[in-house]
Each structure stands twice: as C-alpha cells, then as structure tokens.
Amino acid sequence: MKIVEFLRSDAVIASLSGQAAPAVLAELVRPLAASQKVDGQRLVETLLDREKLGSTGIGEGVAIPHGKVPGLPGLMASFGRSAGGVDFRAIDGKPTHLFFALFAPENSAGTHLKALARISRIFKNPAFREAIMKAPGSAEIYRLIEAEDAKY
C-alpha cells in the first residue's frame, strides 16, 4: 500500500490558517468534501469524535487525525501544514505543525491500520519532517511525501 493511493495532490494544504483543532480539522476536510463528493460536516464530526477519545497528536509536530465513515468507497486522506503550529494536545506537549487526516470505510480495520502505520513510519524521519516544513508549496509537499513513501 502506498500513501499516494489514497492521498491526492489536490488534498494537500501548504498553509493551514486554523488556530485551534476544530478549525484545522475543518480545513483538512474541505478538499475531500469538494473532490470526493462526501459530506464535509460528517467528516469533521468523525474526526472530532475520535479526538474526544484522545489526541491523535503523535508528537514531534505530527498529528494523524483519523476515523471510519460508513459508505466511503475506499481510503481517502488530506495533508496540511501549519507554520505557526497548533495546540493539538500532542503526547509530547509540543505544537503540531503537520496534519495527516485519514478516512476509511466503516468495515476496513486491516486497511485502516496499515495506512496509519505507513503514515506514522514516514513521519518518524526528522529530515523528512524538516523538508516538509521548508517546502515552498503544496506541489512540493506532495512530491516529498511521494518520494519518502517510495522508500518503503
């Protein structure tokens, strides 16, 4: 499984403007709602419900908000970068800058977990995270994710 199988280039946001978790999650959902013809409010609610269980901020400036949505045809994702960082209640207490939102069909536990593991793996690399932070725009961020994903 490759990340580019479920992350489209038009779902990469180089500059998130939200200052709080709900606003960031809403921003991450917008390109998916527009391009995938899914209910954006439903996606936001899915992410907010998941965050109530505990933060998906995995530390080192990275969060992977995720959830399962009935009726989705397959995995879909968006990515966003916040230069200033957001308090996302990450496990290390530091601001979160890189957000990878993942949505899976309701009965896709194995696929969902594989996708989460793959995303987590590539974002463990400090040089990769730094390159994402320095990238000039969405197209370059997508290329960096594609190249890092191809290594595994």
Side-chain angles (χ1 to χ4, degrees):
M1 169 189 302
K2 295 288 185 189
I3 291 172
V4 294
E5 292 173 20
F6 53 86
L7 175 68
R8 295 169 32 152
S9 60
D10 62 355
V12 175
I13 306 163
S15 184
L16 292 167
S17 60
Q19 300 296 309
V24 167
L25 296 176
E27 276 184 85
L28 288 167
V29 161
R30 273 188 212 117
L32 298 175
S35 68
Q36 302 290 324
K37 306 294 186 252
V38 292
D39 180 357
Q41 187 57 39
R42 186 175 184 197
L43 296 181
V44 171
E45 288 170 8
T46 298
L47 295 179
L48 289 171
D49 287 346
R50 171 57 186 85
E51 291 303 315
K52 288 176 187 172
L53 299 175
S55 177
T56 56
I58 61 172
E60 301 298 330
V62 177
I64 310 173
H66 59 277
K68 293 183 183 177
V69 180
L72 281 187
L75 289 175
M76 61 182 193
S78 63
F79 177 83
R81 174 180 68 185
S82 170
V86 175
D87 179 3
F88 210 71
R89 299 180 303 119
I91 59 171
D92 61 3
K94 296 178 183 175
T96 301
H97 297 273
L98 306 173
F99 296 86
F100 206 113
L102 176 68
F103 297 94
E106 191 172 35
N107 51 1
S108 63
T111 307
H112 183 219
L113 292 175
K114 285 179 187 174
L116 285 170
R118 186 140 190 102
I119 294 164
S120 180
R121 176 186 287 167
I122 74 165
F123 280 95
K124 283 185 179 178
N125 179 344
F128 172 67
R129 292 192 310 266
E130 186 177 328
I132 293 279
M133 288 303 295
K134 291 180 178 177
S138 298
E140 181 60 26
I141 290 171
Y142 185 81
R143 282 193 293 276
L144 287 166
I145 292 171
E146 186 177 38
E148 189 72 13
D149 190 32
K151 293 178 184 178
Y152 300 98

